[in-house]
Amino acid sequence: VTNNRLFYIIRSSGGTWGAENNLEVEAGIDWQGVRVCIGANDLIHIVYAGTSTAIYYRNLNSSDSLSGRTQLTTSVGTTVRAPALKPVYYDDAGAEKITLIYYKSSDSKLYSRVVTNGSVGSESAAAIEANTVRAHIASSLTPCAFVAVNAAAKTVYVCYADNTTFDLYEVHSIAE
């Protein structure tokens, strides 16, 4: 791969698109699987992966300043190279929380990290009893059907499918 860069473009309030900006330019990695959400004060949260099988997080503020790259995980395995779902945002009594969901083929589990006011928390495995659907970059299968948040109850819900039966299951976590 000779052109292995990841770009973003900013659209002005007047509706015109600006020039391409580099999100990633590290040589030797095919960047892919970008997922985004908008948090408080128009802060854009970006989660993405590369052929290095690592998943990364960055954010872009309303002044068009891009944060440094934070590595979320390195061992997603060989069959998944992308975050499972788009991140979800909620306000927790004034604290901005972003939940990031990703899948590791090494143990067929979903994992999550919570970014609180820009600080990335520890990795935690979702309480999954069965194997999730194995997602592959070239496949239409995805390990999750949806992720949703109930901000009032401080609860994040994830729906996923069993790898063998394709039965749907729901797990949830209650934020502290």
Side-chain angles (χ1 to χ4, degrees):
V1 178
T2 58
N3 190 0
N4 46 12
R5 296 178 288 166
L6 191 57
F7 300 97
Y8 67 95
I9 299 175
I10 298 172
R11 185 175 176 187
S12 72
S13 58
T16 59
W17 291 98
E20 286 183 346
N21 298 288
N22 289 314
L23 181 71
E24 286 295 347
V25 294
E26 186 175 336
I29 297 178
D30 182 16
W31 299 102
Q32 57 198 324
V34 179
R35 308 285 194 265
V36 299
C37 75
I38 299 176
N41 302 315
D42 295 328
L43 185 64
I44 300 171
H45 300 272
I46 309 162
V47 183
Y48 57 97
T51 51
S52 65
T53 71
I55 296 178
Y56 300 96
Y57 165 80
R58 295 181 95 165
N59 63 56
L60 179 68
N61 67 25
S62 59
S63 298
D64 303 335
S65 177
L66 185 64
S67 72
R69 178 172 77 181
T70 300
Q71 187 170 311
L72 298 179
T73 187
T74 58
S75 58
V76 294
T78 57
T79 61
V80 143
R81 296 184 181 101
L85 292 168
K86 134 182 181 176
V88 292
Y89 159 80
Y90 66 101
D91 183 288
D92 182 8
E96 177 180 67
K97 293 203 174 185
I98 307 295
T99 299
L100 314 167
I101 308 287
Y102 49 94
Y103 167 82
K104 289 185 179 182
S105 64
S106 56
D107 62 5
S108 298
K109 289 186 179 179
L110 294 173
Y111 287 81
S112 68
R113 290 214 178 194
V114 177
V115 177
T116 303
N117 294 330
S119 177
V120 179
S122 300
E123 178 178 82
S124 63
I128 295 177
E129 308 229 347
N131 288 338
T132 56
V133 169
R134 296 197 196 300
H136 189 278
I137 200 69
S139 169
S140 62
L141 293 177
T142 175
C144 303
F146 70 85
V147 61
V149 64
N150 177 342
K154 300 179 184 177
T155 305
V156 176
Y157 299 90
V158 177
C159 181
Y160 68 95
D162 178 88
N163 186 29
T164 306
T165 65
F166 299 105
D167 291 340
L168 289 176
Y169 295 90
E170 177 269 334
V171 294
H172 62 274
S173 65
I174 299 171
E176 295 180 11

